[in-house]
Amino acid sequence: TEPVTINVKPLPDKSKPILFDGATGLFTISAEAVKNKLSRDEGDMLEVTISGKGNFVQLNAPAVQWPKGMEGFEPSIKDSLDKSASPLTGSRTYRYPFVSATAGAYTIPAITFSFFNPDSGNYKTITTGVLQVKVDNKKAAAANINQGKKKTTAKKNNSWLIGGGILLL
């Protein structure tokens, strides 16, 4: 076949946001905590979803500014994409585990995401709303450990009953 020449234009430097990380397309963003109320040392998930059409496979996880007293970890990624469409359409959800050892009301600041919209030829920056998370003074781990001990004891008692029934037979 004849060679085909493809001219790729560089992205404009004019008006490029500082937080721009290479995303190209048309996107929306949303964020929510799976639980808004939790106990000390109880883990939760912050889900940040980017939806729309564009180069999803090249997206980097948006930065989260965790408030003092709250610790966040690296996110896992869940894609819901229509790979038969070009550009890709659908959504990508980043699930950030987090925990707080101190009781209180926490505010997770708005999360910002910048992209280049090739249809308009402009950069756009979008943000989520701020999120409120309340951590009460109860320690979650102790309750879970006690429940685990009860289940283990019940399993041991069931094992004796089953073993005794087999012996009788």
Side-chain angles (χ1 to χ4, degrees):
T1 61
E2 296 281 326
V4 177
T5 302
I6 300 174
N7 294 319
V8 179
K9 297 180 188 176
L11 293 174
D13 287 329
K14 183 180 179 187
S15 304
K16 185 188 285 188
I18 294 171
L19 296 175
F20 178 72
D21 204 14
T24 303
L26 183 59
F27 301 103
T28 60
I29 189 169
S30 64
E32 68 177 346
V34 173
K35 298 183 249 177
N36 290 333
K37 256 185 152 176
L38 48 143
S39 300
R40 284 186 307 129
D41 297 326
E42 179 182 8
D44 195 4
M45 289 284 177
L46 171 65
E47 293 183 343
V48 178
T49 302
I50 297 174
S51 303
K53 64 178 185 173
N55 62 342
F56 281 96
V57 290
Q58 296 172 336
L59 298 183
N60 291 320
V64 177
Q65 300 301 316
W66 296 102
K68 185 176 180 181
M70 191 173 275
E71 185 177 5
F73 304 96
E74 289 296 313
S76 61
I77 299 171
K78 180 183 176 206
D79 286 334
S80 296
L81 301 173
D82 179 359
K83 294 181 181 171
S84 65
S86 180
L88 291 175
T89 59
S91 66
R92 174 171 274 186
T93 300
Y94 298 91
R95 298 190 75 203
Y96 298 82
F98 70 91
V99 67
S100 176
T102 307
Y106 293 92
T107 300
I108 300 173
I111 298 164
T112 304
F113 178 72
S114 295
F115 62 92
F116 179 76
N117 183 341
D119 295 337
S120 68
N122 296 319
Y123 291 98
K124 186 164 184 181
T125 299
I126 54 178
T127 60
T128 67
V130 298
L131 296 167
Q132 303 295 326
V133 177
K134 292 185 180 180
V135 179
D136 66 30
N137 211 13
K138 292 187 291 184
K139 189 160 173 92
N144 292 339
I145 290 170
N146 289 337
Q147 287 176 357
K149 285 182 181 177
K150 288 178 187 175
K151 288 179 184 176
T152 304
T153 304
K155 284 182 182 176
K156 286 181 182 177
N157 289 340
N158 287 341
S159 298
W160 282 104
L161 290 172
I162 292 169
I166 290 173
L167 283 174
L168 286 173
L169 285 175

